[in-house]
Every structure is written in structure tokens, then in C-alpha cells.
Amino acid sequence: MKTKFAIGVIFLMTYLGFLVATLPATVVFNQFSMPKDLSISGVSGSIWHANIEQVVVDKMVLKKIQTKLSFWSLMTLAPMLPVTFGDSFLAGPEGKFDITLSQGKIEIENLSLFIKANEIAQQLTLPLPVTVQGDVEIMLYHAAIDIEDKNKCIAANGVVTWSKAGVVALAEKIKLGTFNAKIACEEGALVLVLSSKNDLGLTFSAYVSQGGRVSGNGFLKPGAKFPPVLSSALPFLGRKDSQGRYRLSF
């Protein structure tokens, strides 16, 4: 009797495992309500290996997203999902990261993201039309978000590098060198702090608040290395303060 019961349990577990393994990814995605600024299209595959043709976040488009659910992570009750997106032959961001859900928080590990600087510039309201040059590399070593407390940023550690930076503005090509920034948490918000060591004399911090709101503020203080051709664009930034700085914010 016990043998038959054990065989029955094994059969049932195997059958349930088969159902889960073959469950279409579309069924899973349809169980969640998406934010109004997020849309997902072209979902295929199973929950173990899903393919997503395109994800649009506000105005940013991610293509060719692939996810693979780690079976062994389920044993620890902390599902881990490696994600890759983009392609060197496709327009848009390219990168990968691991995401883990555990004890009311989401953790992101080893995120690497590459994107053309001009694709980021197109999302911003700039004082004059420019074409931005160079590549932006984001390396997020670790981040933890408390999803039970309005997506509060618990911890974050990473760096951002804008290499071969430059702009084409006012019919001029202007080289800006390299910009570096650090990623951290500040009062529950994810923050990116730009290093002041740059040719523009730019100091700036950008924030992603708990509610998902993006904001930023800083100053531009032209110095000896400030590109002369950009001087004519400074009036678009407003009046400078008593320290010779132009206020920047969004």
C-alpha cells in the first residue's frame, strides 16, 4: 500500500512539474497588470525559457529579451531569473542581468548595459537641438529594492561611464572626453552621482524615487576646459548665480 502511495505521489509531482515546465509564458504575463508606461509584446516560450520580442518602457525600447528560470533557485524559495536583451546588430540597449525575488524584495546582480548616448539624449528635454556621440556603459554590481515598501531602494552599487563623449550642436562637433558616475541609494531613492572631474565643469545627480518618478539637479560652472563653442549656448540655461554656476534640473 505504501509503495503504491509513493508511486502515486511521484507520478503526481512529475505530472505537475510537466504542467509547470510547459506552461506558456503568455499565461504568466497575463496574470499581472502592467504600468501604463510599460508595454510587452511578442511573448513566447515557457516559464523556464521565455522569449519577448519587445518591451517599451516610456520611450525606451528593449528588443530580443530572453529569460531562463533557474530550477535550483526554486529550492531556496528565492527564484532567480537570468535575463539578456538586445543585440549588437539591433538598435537599442544591449545587456544582461540576474534578478532574484526573495522575502519581499527584488535583487539585481551583475547588470551590464550598453547604449548609445544619443538614445538617452532623445529622452531628455534639452535647451537646444543636439546630436550626442559616444557610448554609455552601466555596470550595476548589486541592487536591492523593497517591493513591500513602495519600491524603496535598500542598497545599490554600480558605475556609469560615458566614453568618447561628444555633441554636435550649432553646426559644430565638440569633444567632451569621458564622464563617470556612481550608482547608490539615497533616502530610499536610486541615485546616480556624476563625478565633477569633467571638461564641462558639470556636477549633477539624478534620482529615481520610490514612486518611479525621475528627477535630477546640479550645476554647470564653465572653467578653463569648457569648449568655447558652447559659450553661446549658455544663455539658454538661464542666469548664472554669484558663483558663476548655471542651475540644471528636471
Side-chain angles (χ1 to χ4, degrees):
M1 185 67 179
K2 291 183 178 180
T3 302
K4 291 182 178 180
F5 178 76
I7 293 175
V9 170
I10 293 173
F11 174 79
L12 178 61
M13 293 299 292
T14 302
Y15 179 66
L16 291 176
F18 172 77
L19 289 179
V20 172
T22 57
L23 184 66
T26 51
V27 173
V28 179
F29 278 99
N30 289 336
Q31 303 307 308
F32 299 93
S33 58
M34 300 297 175
K36 61 181 181 179
D37 57 351
L38 172 67
S39 65
I40 298 176
S41 59
V43 179
S44 62
S46 69
I47 63 171
W48 297 109
H49 189 180
N51 296 284
I52 305 172
E53 190 174 299
Q54 179 173 283
V55 172
V56 180
V57 184
D58 198 5
K59 297 179 182 179
M60 186 67 69
V61 180
L62 302 179
K63 297 182 179 179
K64 199 177 179 180
I65 301 97
Q66 295 187 354
T67 67
K68 292 183 179 181
L69 179 61
S70 170
F71 172 79
W72 296 111
S73 68
L74 298 177
M75 301 296 101
T76 63
L77 302 180
M80 194 268 284
L81 200 67
V83 180
T84 63
F85 55 91
D87 189 292
S88 57
F89 295 101
L90 295 174
E94 176 186 359
K96 62 180 181 179
F97 62 93
D98 297 330
I99 184 169
T100 302
L101 177 62
S102 63
Q103 298 179 346
K105 65 181 179 181
I106 290 178
E107 295 186 78
I108 298 174
E109 303 278 351
N110 305 318
L111 181 147
S112 61
L113 185 153
F114 300 87
I115 185 172
K116 295 294 182 183
N118 197 51
E119 294 185 34
I120 298 176
Q122 300 308 309
Q123 316 300 318
L124 307 176
T125 301
L126 301 174
L128 71 163
V130 299
T131 299
V132 181
Q133 300 177 324
D135 301 309
V136 175
E137 178 182 5
I138 299 175
M139 302 295 293
L140 183 61
Y141 309 118
H142 173 75
I145 305 297
D146 189 341
I147 57 178
E148 295 182 346
D149 189 9
K150 300 179 181 180
N151 295 326
K152 178 181 179 180
C153 183
I154 304 171
N157 178 27
V159 294
V160 179
T161 303
W162 178 15
S163 58
K164 298 180 181 179
V167 296
V168 179
L170 305 175
E172 295 282 351
K173 292 183 179 180
I174 307 151
K175 294 182 178 181
L176 302 176
T178 298
F179 289 82
N180 296 289
K182 291 185 177 181
I183 301 173
C185 284
E186 186 176 307
E187 297 182 354
L190 184 69
V191 59
L192 184 151
V193 182
L194 180 68
S195 169
S196 59
K197 296 180 179 180
N198 59 78
D199 293 349
L200 291 182
L202 178 64
T203 57
F204 198 83
S205 296
Y207 301 86
V208 180
S209 64
Q210 291 176 240
R213 179 174 172 270
V214 179
S215 61
N217 61 76
F219 294 94
L220 178 66
K221 185 177 182 179
K225 294 183 178 181
F226 189 81
V229 69
L230 289 181
S231 297
S232 59
L234 292 175
F236 289 99
L237 302 178
R239 294 184 178 181
K240 58 184 178 181
D241 62 16
S242 59
Q243 300 180 48
R245 304 177 306 176
Y246 293 86
R247 176 82 177 182
L248 302 173
S249 64
F250 67 87

